[in-house]
Amino acid sequence: MYEPNPREALDPEMLAGEIVNRLIYRIGKDPKVARPHDWLQATILIVRDRAIDHWMPSTRATYLAKDKRVYYLSLEFLIGRLMRDAVSNLGMTEPLRAALKTLDVDFDQIAELESDAALGNGGLGRLAACFMESMASIGVPAYGYGIRYRHGLFRQEIVDGNQAELPETWLEHGNPWEFDRRESAYEVGFGGFVEYLEANGSEARYVWKPAERVIATAYDTPIVGWRGKRVNTLRLWSADPIDPIHLDAFNAGDHIGSLRESNRADALTRVLYPADASPSGQELRLRQEYFFSSAALQDILRRHLQQYGTLANLSDKVAIQLNDTHPAVCVAELMRLLVDVHGLDFAAAWDLTRKTIGYTNHTLLPEALESWPVPLFEALLPRHMQIVYDINARLLREARRDHGFDDAEIRSISLIDETGERRVRMGNLAFVGAHSINGVSALHTELMKETVFADLHRMYPLRINNKTNGITPRRWLMQCNPELTGLIADTIGPGFLDDIDALAAFEKYADDPEVQDAFAKVKRRNKDRLAAVVRARMGVKVDPNALFDIQIKRIHEYKRQLLNIIEAVALYDQIRSHPEKNWTPRVKFFAGKAAPSYHNAKLIIKLANDVGRVINSNPLVRDVLRVVFVPNYNVSLAEVLVPAADLSEQISTAGMEASGTGNMKFALNGALTIGTLDGANVEIRDNVGAENIVIFGMTADEVAEARKDGHDPRAVIERSPELSQALKAIASGVFSPDDPGRYRGLVGGLYEHDWFMVAADFDAYAAAQRQVDALWADPKLWWRKAILNTARMGWFSSDRTIGEYARDIWGIRL
């Protein structure tokens, strides 16, 4: 593998010369008139060149050694900005900063201009990005496969307190990190019919004749591992029409119709998660999932056959990991390719498919365990529907014959849901088509066995395993919090940079007054930075001396931003009623996007802004309580919010958050967690110590029991004066005088069913917040706990997680 000459890689004078060279000859700008974005582009190009110097040898070495490759398929890769990541991992940060300084260019200023790649929604996509970086860092040969969204997830603006969705134009000026691989292009079909061909003495053959075809074209981005030891590939697919324009139609005057195929292809990769409330939206979502899955599998098989000339050893050299149910159609598509295109018999193809595919489940929510109406699935993918029915027939016969399943159990495991309209269950398809099904936290994995996959688990008791999620410490400590990284290195030495488990040595300094003071000063400077961002973007002034209480994640009822807002209203009432008390100054920050068609989630955003408007304008309260909703949450904003947090809100309804990774990022950066025993909060408690985390509320078992026995939220609300008064204020229009009935339905849902146990957990949550106030009043105790959180989070590195995947699922020796 290429080993750069130290002077070549690190000499600031040489780097400055290279930057100027790229500026002149690649961008066409004279340094005297170059703008900041020109300097950014030139800088990225020299960093990219060094990444390539490691990228090609990495690929070549894997090929020559005939190493097994991992193919990670995900509908989301929330990679964010890449320059700092690559610069840090290549060890170029300080030399590059010095080089730019000689050119009168500020590294941090131009780094802020880089587009934030809009390729994901939240934790699922960010996890995929962390995993890609960790695979490169620990030496796993890997490709990531996804979609090159032109706009990705929408850009969020807040207009009169409401979420407004606007196109995210991250590709508007191109992407200097990517390479167009026009030779890696594959046809992907939709619709049409299946032709049946009789065969003598062998299995009958089926030939799918699609009515519509598009071309999937690859764009590759190098993903640099720590110290540049390995560079892997993120391959994203763009859709192109077979014929970009029908000239006969255009010349006949049908100028719009002549572009119909081009527009249909373009729609495939325009937007991440198109609204699926309409039939056309559902169809587009399924088209996207099949499009990238088919292109990826064709690419995988092409690469494998090119090297080995046979598919017999596919599972020995290829590991395909499905990141949630979005790519579950891979099971049927791999079967189609093996049987229809490459001529394997069904049994042999099924054996290879299961040995090759692994499936990561990320949710127990029914709406996230995707299912598709049979008529839609069959019309769009007729051959795949046949294959699904064939797999299902074999599965159900096995269940009856070998396991004695009754009708109810058969209905539970079937790939076809018949409780209403017939639907294809993608979670079940992924389960039966994989040799490994993993959860992403210990609690989530056990709940999978007991709930959504209970009967499939009985049938295949060895398939489910746990791989608790992790985060890359390079992005979520070293890059986003360099001052804390420096403090730790000065205190315990730099060994933790290469072995995050060495971070545990920092624990010895939890009671050291000097370290506590330095830790607190780092946190204060990070809070100053966040306060400046909020002031610049929103015109809102916050006091960095206050406790920064932060909840940032996708807006969803189960994540319970509503619980946090209601507690803010109750606290507001208490402060106004007792201004003589010594209240803990607190700023509640919210950030996150709601799905465009999710009415209640968007209403919660509006409520947060309405409550903030009232509280922040009250002169009696504003110095001790503020509520701020920061718009357009993305990776770059998270990198400012996470290091500034004193308190991390992880308050989902117990049993509904699969894992969480935001909880890990906050704790690693020295925030205390307030949360339920849900997802990875359980393991965080076990690692940082129960005394260093604030746990409240019902357990997953208690939530399930309450739902089963008929939870009476009205009685719960009436027994809690603070909750009752807060809900009455919200419902009566105190915070929405322009529309007094705006939140009546939202509050009414809490009285009627309270499915997410907001009312049930309110008193416990409010008491936990007062416990936080008491801790904040004792700085020595607070900073001791904060330091212990940081020191004990090494286990939550995605390097550890990927190592477990490699050992237990992919069969890769490191």
Side-chain angles (χ1 to χ4, degrees), residues 47 174 221 284 310-311 374 377 390 409 449 488 566:
V47 177
T221 298
L284 180 54
T310 177
L311 292 173
V374 166
F377 196 95
D390 203 337
E409 292 163 327
K449 296 176 182 178
I488 297 169
I566 294 170

Side-chain angles (χ1 to χ4, degrees), residues 437-478:
I437 296 87
N438 72 279
V440 290
S441 73
L443 175 62
H444 169 238
T445 300
E446 291 308 307
L447 288 174
M448 271 205 309
K449 296 176 182 178
E450 297 168 7
T451 56
V452 291
F453 295 134
D455 290 315
L456 282 169
H457 174 59
R458 283 180 50 228
M459 196 168 172
Y460 303 111
L462 301 180
R463 289 195 188 179
I464 295 181
N465 60 93
N466 179 56
K467 299 289 173 282
T468 297
N469 283 344
I471 57 173
T472 168
R474 270 80 58 181
R475 173 69 69 107
W476 294 109
L477 177 62
M478 300 172 201

Side-chain angles (χ1 to χ4, degrees), residues 439-602:
V440 290
S441 73
L443 175 62
H444 169 238
T445 300
E446 291 308 307
L447 288 174
M448 271 205 309
K449 296 176 182 178
E450 297 168 7
T451 56
V452 291
F453 295 134
D455 290 315
L456 282 169
H457 174 59
R458 283 180 50 228
M459 196 168 172
Y460 303 111
L462 301 180
R463 289 195 188 179
I464 295 181
N465 60 93
N466 179 56
K467 299 289 173 282
T468 297
N469 283 344
I471 57 173
T472 168
R474 270 80 58 181
R475 173 69 69 107
W476 294 109
L477 177 62
M478 300 172 201
Q479 290 171 46
C480 78
N481 205 341
E483 283 201 65
L484 180 56
T485 304
L487 171 61
I488 297 169
D490 290 343
T491 306
I492 65 171
F496 74 99
L497 300 175
D498 296 290
D499 176 14
I500 197 63
D501 290 337
L503 189 61
F506 194 48
E507 180 177 336
K508 293 184 295 185
Y509 298 89
D511 292 305
D512 186 311
E514 290 187 9
V515 174
Q516 283 193 0
D517 182 61
F519 196 95
K521 287 178 178 176
V522 168
K523 179 68 72 174
R524 172 56 191 259
R525 285 189 287 272
N526 287 325
K527 291 167 74 173
D528 288 340
R529 181 169 64 133
L530 174 57
V533 167
V534 169
R535 185 72 178 268
R537 291 190 186 183
M538 306 173 62
V540 175
K541 185 178 179 181
V542 297
D543 182 4
N545 290 309
L547 186 152
F548 276 18
D549 174 348
I550 300 182
Q551 186 175 18
I552 48 173
K553 51 188 76 244
R554 179 166 50 96
I555 308 298
H556 196 291
E557 287 172 282
Y558 90 82
K559 294 180 182 286
R560 299 203 297 190
Q561 287 92 351
L562 183 57
L563 175 60
N564 193 349
I565 297 166
I566 294 170
E567 197 276 332
V569 171
L571 181 59
Y572 173 61
D573 286 339
Q574 292 170 28
I575 295 170
R576 289 191 299 168
S577 299
H578 292 283
E580 80 285 358
K581 289 188 176 181
N582 188 24
W583 297 101
T584 296
R586 181 188 295 250
V587 182
K588 280 182 175 282
F589 291 94
F590 296 88
K593 297 177 181 179
S597 58
Y598 192 169
H599 172 74
N600 274 6
K602 296 178 84 168

Side-chain angles (χ1 to χ4, degrees), residues 647-651 672-677 681 684-685 688-697 764-773 775 782 785 789:
L647 186 67
S648 162
E649 296 271 355
Q650 308 297 330
I651 59 176
L672 271 61
T673 301
I674 182 169
T676 51
L677 276 179
N681 286 357
I684 290 176
R685 177 201 61 181
V688 306
E691 69 281 7
N692 298 310
I693 187 172
V694 180
I695 295 294
F696 73 93
Y765 176 60
Q769 289 286 23
R770 302 295 75 76
Q771 182 184 344
V772 168
D773 290 344
L775 289 173
W782 182 277
K785 291 177 182 293
N789 267 266

Side-chain angles (χ1 to χ4, degrees), residues 98-404:
L100 287 166
K101 188 175 182 180
T102 67
L103 301 169
D104 292 323
V105 177
D106 183 84
F107 174 83
D108 294 315
Q109 181 187 35
I110 65 169
E112 289 298 310
L113 298 177
E114 185 179 8
S115 294
D116 207 301
L119 301 171
N121 180 27
L124 180 83
R126 187 52 232 173
L127 180 80
C130 283
F131 277 7
M132 286 300 298
E133 195 268 0
S134 276
M135 282 189 270
S137 290
I138 72 171
V140 174
Y143 276 74
Y145 282 110
I147 292 179
R148 182 180 179 265
Y149 302 103
R150 291 280 298 280
H151 296 297
L153 195 68
F154 60 87
R155 175 166 53 89
Q156 181 195 59
E157 288 190 3
I158 301 300
V159 181
D160 294 329
N162 294 294
Q163 171 177 289
E165 298 104 25
L166 301 171
E168 177 57 79
T169 56
W170 76 284
L171 276 175
E172 184 177 15
H173 300 293
N175 177 8
W177 293 104
E178 69 183 9
F179 294 86
D180 179 355
R181 305 299 194 198
R182 64 187 67 186
E183 73 280 3
S184 296
Y186 304 92
E187 283 194 9
V188 178
F190 301 100
F193 63 94
V194 179
E195 190 175 278
Y196 173 73
L197 302 178
E198 293 282 0
N200 294 323
S202 62
E203 287 190 6
R205 288 191 60 232
Y206 297 87
V207 180
W208 178 25
K209 305 283 189 177
E212 177 191 349
R213 294 170 299 148
V214 297
I215 299 295
T217 303
Y219 288 79
D220 287 356
T221 298
I223 302 297
V224 182
W226 181 236
R227 306 287 191 197
K229 292 177 183 176
R230 180 173 189 88
V231 178
N232 282 329
T233 303
L234 175 61
R235 175 160 285 188
L236 303 176
W237 299 103
S238 181
D240 297 299
I242 299 288
D243 296 311
I245 184 171
H246 290 294
L247 279 175
D248 53 347
F250 189 88
N251 291 330
D254 186 8
H255 303 141
I256 302 299
S258 67
L259 298 172
R260 187 173 292 111
E261 282 190 24
S262 184
N263 290 334
R264 283 177 70 82
D266 186 59
L268 271 172
T269 57
R270 270 285 173 187
V271 176
L272 168 67
Y273 294 144
D276 58 358
S278 66
S280 60
Q282 291 180 34
E283 179 181 335
L284 180 54
R285 179 83 70 91
L286 180 55
R287 280 173 174 268
Q288 287 183 326
E289 293 179 3
Y290 176 67
F291 166 76
F292 99 91
S293 298
S294 176
L297 289 175
Q298 291 182 66
D299 196 45
I300 291 165
L301 294 183
R302 186 269 309 163
R303 185 178 297 107
H304 182 81
L305 285 169
Q306 182 176 302
Q307 181 166 11
Y308 298 105
T310 177
L311 292 173
N313 64 343
L314 183 69
S315 60
D316 297 326
K317 298 298 181 181
V318 168
I320 297 171
Q321 192 68 33
L322 309 182
N323 191 28
D324 216 8
T325 55
H326 307 125
V329 73
C330 276
V331 173
E333 173 67 355
L334 183 54
M335 287 295 294
R336 183 189 73 83
L337 293 170
L338 293 176
V339 174
D340 296 357
V341 177
H342 296 285
L344 276 67
D345 64 50
F346 197 96
W350 186 233
D351 183 57
L352 266 185
T353 295
R354 286 188 296 181
K355 286 180 178 177
T356 304
I357 290 177
Y359 163 48
T360 300
N361 173 274
H362 283 278
T363 183
L364 306 177
L365 295 175
E367 66 269 22
L369 280 172
E370 289 181 317
S371 65
W372 300 108
V374 166
L376 169 62
F377 196 95
E378 191 161 25
L380 205 60
L381 304 171
R383 178 60 179 136
H384 302 77
M385 192 72 253
Q386 290 180 341
I387 292 169
V388 168
Y389 272 125
D390 203 337
I391 295 170
N392 201 41
R394 294 165 190 252
L395 172 72
L396 300 187
R397 290 189 190 111
E398 179 188 348
R400 290 277 196 196
R401 182 185 66 242
D402 299 341
H403 301 277

